[in-house]
Amino acid sequence: MTEPTIREATPDDAAAFLAYLRAILEEPASMIPLAPDELRTVTEQAAMFAAHAAAANSVFLLAFEGDALVGNLNLSGLPRRALRHVAYLGMGVARSHRGRGLGTRLMREALAYADAHAIMRVELDVYVRNAPAIALYENCGFVIEGRRAKMVFVDGEYLDDLHMARVTVP
């Protein structure tokens, strides 16, 4: 099996991304606090991809195995001058590709982008129950900055999450 190809998203990827995201959301105990009926439209998603491409401190990466979308990672930079060195990270990997190193590859590419674009602080939030993701983030230099009790309400229960960050010094 070949390694997935990672590249920046384009507006033409919007429909495929939404289908991929919908599949992840339908998994039992999904780790994304979003309901399928809260997804963007194809037009809105395409605009979001275009905005990331146009921003000097944002990138949206997609991983493909052949024509199948199997992973994503976005760094969304903050727009204010005083905060342009900060980006928020979100990511996902298709169930079929978890535990195979794709998350690590996506993280390496995103953090290299951050380093090359003067993004010194990358933040993320992760469910406390998502031990594999927490381990990945810690291996990539993220530290836990706090725990938010009952932050998300999904499937009839309140879940805690961790706020993590990777801070680099210029």
Side-chain angles (χ1 to χ4, degrees), residues 103-148:
T104 299
R105 287 184 58 218
L106 284 162
M107 288 293 292
R108 284 186 185 142
E109 288 214 22
L111 295 177
Y113 175 93
D115 293 344
H117 290 83
I119 299 169
M120 297 183 331
R121 179 179 176 85
V122 178
E123 302 181 345
L124 61 86
D125 298 305
V126 58
Y127 290 160
V128 171
R129 69 182 184 190
N130 194 348
I134 294 167
L136 169 64
Y137 302 144
E138 288 176 335
N139 286 337
C140 290
F142 286 77
V143 296
I144 297 169
E145 293 189 329
R147 181 181 184 124
R148 301 183 306 176

Short mmCIF file of all heavy atoms in Angstrom, two decimals, residues 103-148:
data_model
loop_
_atom_site.label_atom_id
_atom_site.label_comp_id
_atom_site.label_asym_id
_atom_site.label_seq_id
_atom_site.Cartn_x
_atom_site.Cartn_y
_atom_site.Cartn_z
N GLY A 103 -1.26 10.71 11.03
CA GLY A 103 -1.39 11.86 11.92
C GLY A 103 -0.05 12.52 12.18
O GLY A 103 0.07 13.75 12.18
N THR A 104 0.97 11.71 12.39
CA THR A 104 2.32 12.24 12.61
C THR A 104 2.81 12.99 11.38
O THR A 104 3.38 14.08 11.48
CB THR A 104 3.29 11.10 12.96
OG1 THR A 104 2.82 10.47 14.17
CG2 THR A 104 4.70 11.60 13.16
N ARG A 105 2.58 12.43 10.20
CA ARG A 105 3.00 13.11 8.96
C ARG A 105 2.28 14.44 8.79
O ARG A 105 2.90 15.45 8.43
CB ARG A 105 2.73 12.21 7.74
CG ARG A 105 3.69 11.05 7.62
CD ARG A 105 3.46 10.23 6.34
NE ARG A 105 3.58 11.09 5.17
CZ ARG A 105 2.81 10.97 4.08
NH1 ARG A 105 1.87 10.04 4.01
NH2 ARG A 105 2.98 11.77 3.05
N LEU A 106 0.97 14.45 9.04
CA LEU A 106 0.22 15.70 8.93
C LEU A 106 0.75 16.73 9.93
O LEU A 106 0.94 17.91 9.58
CB LEU A 106 -1.27 15.45 9.18
CG LEU A 106 -2.03 14.80 8.03
CD1 LEU A 106 -3.35 14.20 8.53
CD2 LEU A 106 -2.29 15.82 6.92
N MET A 107 1.00 16.30 11.16
CA MET A 107 1.52 17.22 12.18
C MET A 107 2.87 17.78 11.77
O MET A 107 3.11 18.98 11.91
CB MET A 107 1.63 16.50 13.52
CG MET A 107 0.31 16.21 14.20
SD MET A 107 -0.57 17.70 14.73
CE MET A 107 0.49 18.25 16.04
N ARG A 108 3.76 16.94 11.27
CA ARG A 108 5.09 17.41 10.87
C ARG A 108 4.99 18.47 9.78
O ARG A 108 5.68 19.48 9.81
CB ARG A 108 5.96 16.25 10.40
CG ARG A 108 6.47 15.41 11.55
CD ARG A 108 7.44 14.35 11.07
NE ARG A 108 7.82 13.49 12.19
CZ ARG A 108 8.00 12.20 12.11
NH1 ARG A 108 7.87 11.58 10.96
NH2 ARG A 108 8.34 11.51 13.17
N GLU A 109 4.13 18.22 8.79
CA GLU A 109 3.97 19.20 7.71
C GLU A 109 3.39 20.51 8.23
O GLU A 109 3.84 21.59 7.87
CB GLU A 109 3.09 18.63 6.59
CG GLU A 109 3.82 17.56 5.80
CD GLU A 109 3.46 17.54 4.34
OE1 GLU A 109 2.98 18.55 3.80
OE2 GLU A 109 3.69 16.48 3.73
N ALA A 110 2.39 20.40 9.09
CA ALA A 110 1.76 21.62 9.63
C ALA A 110 2.73 22.40 10.51
O ALA A 110 2.78 23.64 10.43
CB ALA A 110 0.51 21.24 10.42
N LEU A 111 3.49 21.71 11.34
CA LEU A 111 4.42 22.41 12.22
C LEU A 111 5.59 23.00 11.44
O LEU A 111 6.09 24.07 11.80
CB LEU A 111 4.88 21.50 13.35
CG LEU A 111 3.75 21.07 14.30
CD1 LEU A 111 4.26 20.09 15.34
CD2 LEU A 111 3.04 22.25 14.93
N ALA A 112 6.00 22.36 10.37
CA ALA A 112 7.01 22.95 9.49
C ALA A 112 6.46 24.23 8.84
O ALA A 112 7.17 25.24 8.73
CB ALA A 112 7.45 21.95 8.42
N TYR A 113 5.19 24.18 8.44
CA TYR A 113 4.54 25.38 7.90
C TYR A 113 4.53 26.48 8.96
O TYR A 113 4.88 27.63 8.68
CB TYR A 113 3.11 25.05 7.45
CG TYR A 113 2.35 26.27 6.99
CD1 TYR A 113 2.33 26.63 5.65
CD2 TYR A 113 1.67 27.08 7.89
CE1 TYR A 113 1.66 27.76 5.22
CE2 TYR A 113 1.00 28.21 7.48
CZ TYR A 113 0.99 28.56 6.15
OH TYR A 113 0.34 29.68 5.73
N ALA A 114 4.14 26.12 10.18
CA ALA A 114 4.10 27.11 11.26
C ALA A 114 5.46 27.75 11.47
O ALA A 114 5.59 28.98 11.56
CB ALA A 114 3.60 26.45 12.55
N ASP A 115 6.50 26.92 11.53
CA ASP A 115 7.84 27.44 11.76
C ASP A 115 8.28 28.36 10.62
O ASP A 115 8.93 29.38 10.85
CB ASP A 115 8.83 26.29 11.92
CG ASP A 115 8.59 25.48 13.20
OD1 ASP A 115 7.88 25.97 14.11
OD2 ASP A 115 9.11 24.35 13.28
N ALA A 116 7.92 28.02 9.40
CA ALA A 116 8.32 28.81 8.24
C ALA A 116 7.52 30.11 8.09
O ALA A 116 7.92 31.01 7.35
CB ALA A 116 8.17 27.98 6.96
N HIS A 117 6.39 30.21 8.80
CA HIS A 117 5.52 31.38 8.67
C HIS A 117 5.38 32.16 9.97
O HIS A 117 4.38 32.85 10.18
CB HIS A 117 4.14 30.94 8.15
CG HIS A 117 4.17 30.50 6.73
ND1 HIS A 117 4.54 29.23 6.36
CD2 HIS A 117 3.94 31.18 5.58
CE1 HIS A 117 4.51 29.13 5.04
NE2 HIS A 117 4.15 30.30 4.55
N ALA A 118 6.37 32.06 10.83
CA ALA A 118 6.43 32.83 12.08
C ALA A 118 5.23 32.60 12.99
O ALA A 118 4.80 33.49 13.71
CB ALA A 118 6.61 34.32 11.78
N ILE A 119 4.68 31.39 12.93
CA ILE A 119 3.61 31.01 13.86
C ILE A 119 4.31 30.35 15.05
O ILE A 119 4.77 29.22 14.95
CB ILE A 119 2.59 30.07 13.21
CG1 ILE A 119 1.94 30.75 12.01
CG2 ILE A 119 1.54 29.62 14.23
CD1 ILE A 119 1.11 29.82 11.14
N MET A 120 4.40 31.09 16.13
CA MET A 120 5.17 30.61 17.28
C MET A 120 4.32 29.88 18.31
O MET A 120 4.85 29.19 19.17
CB MET A 120 5.90 31.77 17.95
CG MET A 120 6.90 32.42 17.00
SD MET A 120 7.89 33.77 17.69
CE MET A 120 6.86 34.47 18.93
N ARG A 121 3.02 30.04 18.22
CA ARG A 121 2.12 29.38 19.18
C ARG A 121 1.04 28.65 18.39
O ARG A 121 0.27 29.28 17.66
CB ARG A 121 1.50 30.39 20.13
CG ARG A 121 0.55 29.77 21.14
CD ARG A 121 -0.03 30.82 22.10
NE ARG A 121 -0.99 30.18 22.96
CZ ARG A 121 -0.70 29.55 24.09
NH1 ARG A 121 0.54 29.48 24.50
NH2 ARG A 121 -1.65 28.99 24.81
N VAL A 122 0.98 27.34 18.54
CA VAL A 122 -0.07 26.53 17.92
C VAL A 122 -0.87 25.92 19.05
O VAL A 122 -0.32 25.27 19.95
CB VAL A 122 0.52 25.43 17.01
CG1 VAL A 122 -0.59 24.58 16.42
CG2 VAL A 122 1.38 26.04 15.91
N GLU A 123 -2.18 26.15 19.04
CA GLU A 123 -3.08 25.68 20.10
C GLU A 123 -4.04 24.63 19.55
O GLU A 123 -4.35 24.63 18.36
CB GLU A 123 -3.92 26.83 20.64
CG GLU A 123 -3.14 27.98 21.21
CD GLU A 123 -4.06 29.06 21.75
OE1 GLU A 123 -5.27 29.08 21.45
OE2 GLU A 123 -3.55 29.92 22.49
N LEU A 124 -4.53 23.79 20.45
CA LEU A 124 -5.56 22.83 20.08
C LEU A 124 -6.32 22.40 21.33
O LEU A 124 -5.87 22.64 22.45
CB LEU A 124 -4.95 21.61 19.39
CG LEU A 124 -3.93 20.77 20.17
CD1 LEU A 124 -4.60 19.72 21.04
CD2 LEU A 124 -2.97 20.11 19.20
N ASP A 125 -7.47 21.82 21.11
CA ASP A 125 -8.27 21.22 22.19
C ASP A 125 -8.52 19.78 21.81
O ASP A 125 -8.74 19.46 20.64
CB ASP A 125 -9.59 21.98 22.36
CG ASP A 125 -9.36 23.42 22.77
OD1 ASP A 125 -8.68 23.63 23.78
OD2 ASP A 125 -9.84 24.33 22.07
N VAL A 126 -8.51 18.89 22.81
CA VAL A 126 -8.66 17.47 22.57
C VAL A 126 -9.45 16.85 23.72
O VAL A 126 -9.25 17.21 24.88
CB VAL A 126 -7.28 16.79 22.40
CG1 VAL A 126 -6.38 16.99 23.60
CG2 VAL A 126 -7.41 15.32 22.06
N TYR A 127 -10.36 15.94 23.40
CA TYR A 127 -11.10 15.24 24.45
C TYR A 127 -10.14 14.48 25.35
O TYR A 127 -9.19 13.85 24.87
CB TYR A 127 -12.08 14.23 23.85
CG TYR A 127 -13.26 14.80 23.11
CD1 TYR A 127 -13.96 14.00 22.22
CD2 TYR A 127 -13.71 16.09 23.30
CE1 TYR A 127 -15.06 14.47 21.52
CE2 TYR A 127 -14.81 16.57 22.62
CZ TYR A 127 -15.48 15.77 21.73
OH TYR A 127 -16.57 16.24 21.05
N VAL A 128 -10.40 14.49 26.62
CA VAL A 128 -9.58 13.77 27.59
C VAL A 128 -9.53 12.28 27.25
O VAL A 128 -8.51 11.62 27.44
CB VAL A 128 -10.10 14.00 29.02
CG1 VAL A 128 -9.42 13.09 30.03
CG2 VAL A 128 -9.91 15.46 29.42
N ARG A 129 -10.63 11.74 26.70
CA ARG A 129 -10.69 10.31 26.39
C ARG A 129 -9.90 9.91 25.14
O ARG A 129 -9.77 8.73 24.83
CB ARG A 129 -12.14 9.87 26.24
CG ARG A 129 -12.82 10.42 24.99
CD ARG A 129 -14.27 10.01 24.90
NE ARG A 129 -14.86 10.48 23.65
CZ ARG A 129 -16.13 10.43 23.39
NH1 ARG A 129 -16.97 9.93 24.27
NH2 ARG A 129 -16.59 10.87 22.23
N ASN A 130 -9.34 10.88 24.43
CA ASN A 130 -8.64 10.59 23.17
C ASN A 130 -7.14 10.43 23.43
O ASN A 130 -6.31 11.23 22.99
CB ASN A 130 -8.91 11.69 22.14
CG ASN A 130 -8.50 11.30 20.75
OD1 ASN A 130 -7.83 10.30 20.55
ND2 ASN A 130 -8.91 12.10 19.77
N ALA A 131 -6.79 9.37 24.13
CA ALA A 131 -5.40 9.12 24.52
C ALA A 131 -4.43 9.05 23.33
O ALA A 131 -3.32 9.59 23.42
CB ALA A 131 -5.30 7.86 25.38
N PRO A 132 -4.79 8.39 22.21
CA PRO A 132 -3.84 8.37 21.08
C PRO A 132 -3.52 9.77 20.56
O PRO A 132 -2.35 10.06 20.24
CB PRO A 132 -4.56 7.53 20.02
CG PRO A 132 -5.53 6.69 20.79
CD PRO A 132 -5.97 7.55 21.94
N ALA A 133 -4.51 10.64 20.47
CA ALA A 133 -4.26 12.00 19.99
C ALA A 133 -3.40 12.77 20.99
O ALA A 133 -2.47 13.48 20.59
CB ALA A 133 -5.57 12.73 19.73
N ILE A 134 -3.69 12.63 22.26
CA ILE A 134 -2.90 13.33 23.28
C ILE A 134 -1.44 12.90 23.19
O ILE A 134 -0.53 13.74 23.23
CB ILE A 134 -3.49 13.09 24.68
CG1 ILE A 134 -4.88 13.73 24.78
CG2 ILE A 134 -2.55 13.62 25.77
CD1 ILE A 134 -5.68 13.28 26.00
N ALA A 135 -1.20 11.61 23.03
CA ALA A 135 0.17 11.11 22.91
C ALA A 135 0.84 11.70 21.66
O ALA A 135 2.02 12.10 21.71
CB ALA A 135 0.18 9.59 22.87
N LEU A 136 0.13 11.74 20.54
CA LEU A 136 0.68 12.33 19.32
C LEU A 136 1.07 13.78 19.56
O LEU A 136 2.18 14.20 19.21
CB LEU A 136 -0.34 12.24 18.18
CG LEU A 136 -0.02 13.05 16.91
CD1 LEU A 136 1.25 12.55 16.24
CD2 LEU A 136 -1.20 13.02 15.95
N TYR A 137 0.17 14.54 20.15
CA TYR A 137 0.44 15.96 20.37
C TYR A 137 1.63 16.15 21.30
O TYR A 137 2.49 17.00 21.05
CB TYR A 137 -0.80 16.66 20.92
CG TYR A 137 -2.02 16.54 20.02
CD1 TYR A 137 -3.28 16.42 20.56
CD2 TYR A 137 -1.90 16.52 18.63
CE1 TYR A 137 -4.40 16.31 19.74
CE2 TYR A 137 -3.01 16.40 17.80
CZ TYR A 137 -4.27 16.30 18.37
OH TYR A 137 -5.36 16.18 17.57
N GLU A 138 1.70 15.36 22.37
CA GLU A 138 2.84 15.48 23.28
C GLU A 138 4.14 15.12 22.57
O GLU A 138 5.17 15.79 22.76
CB GLU A 138 2.63 14.60 24.51
CG GLU A 138 1.56 15.15 25.43
CD GLU A 138 1.24 14.29 26.63
OE1 GLU A 138 1.45 13.06 26.57
OE2 GLU A 138 0.76 14.85 27.64
N ASN A 139 4.11 14.10 21.71
CA ASN A 139 5.31 13.72 20.95
C ASN A 139 5.74 14.81 19.97
O ASN A 139 6.89 14.85 19.55
CB ASN A 139 5.09 12.42 20.20
CG ASN A 139 5.10 11.22 21.12
OD1 ASN A 139 5.67 11.26 22.21
ND2 ASN A 139 4.45 10.14 20.70
N CYS A 140 4.81 15.69 19.60
CA CYS A 140 5.11 16.79 18.68
C CYS A 140 5.43 18.08 19.42
O CYS A 140 5.50 19.15 18.80
CB CYS A 140 3.94 17.00 17.72
SG CYS A 140 3.74 15.66 16.53
N GLY A 141 5.60 18.02 20.75
CA GLY A 141 6.01 19.19 21.51
C GLY A 141 4.90 19.99 22.16
O GLY A 141 5.16 21.05 22.73
N PHE A 142 3.68 19.50 22.11
CA PHE A 142 2.58 20.20 22.77
C PHE A 142 2.56 19.87 24.25
O PHE A 142 2.91 18.76 24.65
CB PHE A 142 1.23 19.79 22.15
CG PHE A 142 0.99 20.39 20.79
CD1 PHE A 142 1.61 19.88 19.66
CD2 PHE A 142 0.13 21.47 20.64
CE1 PHE A 142 1.39 20.42 18.42
CE2 PHE A 142 -0.10 22.02 19.39
CZ PHE A 142 0.53 21.49 18.27
N VAL A 143 2.15 20.84 25.06
CA VAL A 143 2.00 20.63 26.50
C VAL A 143 0.57 21.00 26.89
O VAL A 143 -0.07 21.84 26.26
CB VAL A 143 3.01 21.44 27.32
CG1 VAL A 143 4.44 21.00 27.03
CG2 VAL A 143 2.85 22.92 27.09
N ILE A 144 0.10 20.35 27.94
CA ILE A 144 -1.23 20.63 28.45
C ILE A 144 -1.19 21.94 29.23
O ILE A 144 -0.39 22.09 30.15
CB ILE A 144 -1.73 19.48 29.34
CG1 ILE A 144 -1.85 18.19 28.52
CG2 ILE A 144 -3.05 19.84 30.01
CD1 ILE A 144 -2.09 16.94 29.34
N GLU A 145 -2.05 22.86 28.84
CA GLU A 145 -2.14 24.13 29.54
C GLU A 145 -3.36 24.20 30.45
O GLU A 145 -3.44 25.07 31.31
CB GLU A 145 -2.18 25.29 28.54
CG GLU A 145 -0.89 25.44 27.78
CD GLU A 145 -0.85 26.70 26.94
OE1 GLU A 145 -1.91 27.15 26.47
OE2 GLU A 145 0.26 27.22 26.76
N GLY A 146 -4.30 23.31 30.26
CA GLY A 146 -5.47 23.32 31.12
C GLY A 146 -6.47 22.25 30.74
O GLY A 146 -6.43 21.69 29.66
N ARG A 147 -7.35 21.99 31.68
CA ARG A 147 -8.44 21.05 31.48
C ARG A 147 -9.74 21.82 31.63
O ARG A 147 -9.91 22.57 32.59
CB ARG A 147 -8.36 19.93 32.52
CG ARG A 147 -9.45 18.89 32.37
CD ARG A 147 -9.32 17.83 33.48
NE ARG A 147 -10.28 16.78 33.31
CZ ARG A 147 -9.98 15.49 33.20
NH1 ARG A 147 -8.71 15.10 33.28
NH2 ARG A 147 -10.91 14.59 33.03
N ARG A 148 -10.65 21.62 30.69
CA ARG A 148 -11.94 22.30 30.73
C ARG A 148 -13.01 21.25 31.05
O ARG A 148 -13.29 20.38 30.23
CB ARG A 148 -12.20 23.02 29.41
CG ARG A 148 -11.10 24.04 29.12
CD ARG A 148 -11.31 24.84 27.87
NE ARG A 148 -11.52 24.04 26.68
CZ ARG A 148 -11.80 24.54 25.48
NH1 ARG A 148 -11.91 25.84 25.32
NH2 ARG A 148 -11.98 23.76 24.45
#
